[in-house]
Amino acid sequence: MLRIILSGCCGSMGAAVTSCAKSMDDCKIVAGIDIKNTAISDFPIFSQPKEITQEADVLIDFSNPSLLDSLLDFCLEKNVAAVLCTTGYSQEQISKIKLASKQIPVFFSGNMSLGVNLLIELSKTAAKVLGNSFDIEIVEKHHNRKLDAPSGTALMIADGISSALGKEMHYVYDRHSQRKPRDKADIGIHSIRGGTIVGEHDVIFAGQHEVITLSHRAESRDIFALGALNAAKFLSRQGVGLYSMPDLLK
């Protein structure tokens, strides 16, 4: 039985992970972390990781970037693997994640959906085929409570395209601040926030007289919850290191 600590357990994603975990017979949430203890659950909820006394194998985090230091400190001290699903980390925080992965297994991904990660691979293939002859724009849409923009997934897509092209692309977030023609090295990234949109991503390749659009739409948070739980199971079988969705999909 895989023992899980769930950070952000009282949020929307925390509720989805809790629900999905209940339907599985090979894992169990033994403790939760949330500053707002508003959930009715069959496991204890703590406001800080250091308060937890339960033994666990892996921690899943769907919370806030501000908690990263305390979560990593806890995982390093208790030798607990970490599945980090939160987005909006700074470059300094990403460096801390990479450093921690030298001591414990860490799974780090801006999106836990199989479909989204397939979208990234398809976008990389399209970029290789189309080269510099097509302009690339990314449009992402999320609910009105999402804090970070652009989404971590949009940045994952852009980074994948840049790596496929073998050159550094320039990410443009606000064309209003510029008054000049589009540069071939640009990838425009546009964010829409509204209603209860779970998550939508369109990757647009615009060429001469034709447009190719690759799209993914999440219709339920369960796809991310199941991805996180599968990542936790995968991570429990791995040694020290930094892992991501492509490792899980091999």
Side-chain angles (χ1 to χ4, degrees):
M1 180 69 69
L2 184 68
R3 301 166 298 177
I4 298 170
I5 295 172
L6 178 58
S7 174
C9 60
C10 296
S12 298
M13 278 309 310
V17 174
T18 301
S19 176
C20 290
K22 286 181 179 179
S23 67
M24 299 178 177
D25 57 10
D26 57 352
C27 64
K28 179 181 180 180
I29 300 175
V30 297
I33 304 170
D34 206 296
I35 194 170
K36 296 180 179 179
N37 188 347
T38 57
I40 299 174
S41 65
D42 55 3
F43 54 83
I45 299 174
F46 304 91
S47 60
Q48 296 291 333
K50 62 183 180 182
E51 299 171 356
I52 297 174
T53 58
Q54 284 74 10
E55 296 289 329
D57 305 298
V58 61
L59 178 146
I60 296 176
D61 177 45
F62 275 108
S63 60
N64 187 286
S66 62
L67 269 69
L68 179 66
D69 285 354
S70 61
L71 294 176
L72 289 180
D73 287 345
F74 172 83
C75 290
L76 289 168
E77 180 184 350
K78 303 294 186 180
N79 195 30
V80 172
V83 177
L84 303 177
C85 313
T86 297
T87 60
Y89 289 123
S90 67
Q91 287 302 313
E92 180 182 357
Q93 288 178 309
I94 292 174
S95 296
K96 290 181 179 179
I97 292 170
K98 291 178 179 178
L99 187 61
S101 71
K102 297 182 183 300
Q103 300 182 56
I104 57 173
V106 176
F107 192 102
F108 175 44
S109 177
N111 193 294
M112 304 304 296
S113 159
L114 173 63
V116 160
N117 284 275
L118 176 58
L119 174 68
I120 295 171
E121 293 304 313
L122 292 173
S123 299
K124 290 164 65 175
T125 299
K128 290 177 183 177
V129 172
L130 302 174
N132 293 324
S133 59
F134 280 65
D135 298 323
I136 305 169
E137 300 280 310
I138 299 170
V139 180
E140 57 97 352
K141 307 172 188 176
H142 284 87
H143 54 84
N144 56 21
R145 293 179 292 107
K146 185 171 177 61
L147 301 179
D148 57 312
S151 68
T153 301
L155 293 173
M156 286 173 62
I157 296 169
D159 289 345
I161 291 171
S162 295
S163 67
L165 292 173
K167 63 179 181 180
E168 184 176 351
M169 302 294 285
H170 179 223
Y171 301 167
V172 179
Y173 307 107
D174 180 17
R175 295 199 186 280
H176 180 266
S177 63
Q178 306 177 20
R179 189 171 178 82
K180 64 178 183 178
R182 188 189 197 284
D183 191 276
K184 278 294 180 184
D186 286 353
I187 296 180
I189 305 178
H190 315 278
S191 299
I192 294 172
R193 297 288 177 266
T196 57
I197 301 172
V198 176
E200 299 181 16
H201 292 84
D202 295 326
V203 188
I204 302 166
F205 294 86
Q208 292 294 316
H209 312 300
E210 60 181 337
V211 177
I212 301 168
T213 303
L214 302 174
S215 300
H216 178 272
R217 182 176 65 195
E219 298 183 344
S220 168
R221 289 185 174 85
D222 284 0
I223 63 172
F224 310 120
L226 290 170
L229 288 166
N230 286 330
K233 296 175 187 178
F234 164 82
L235 203 61
S236 68
R237 303 188 298 269
Q238 308 305 315
V240 171
L242 183 62
Y243 303 90
S244 62
M245 190 59 76
D247 298 304
L248 178 60
L249 299 178
K250 287 179 180 177

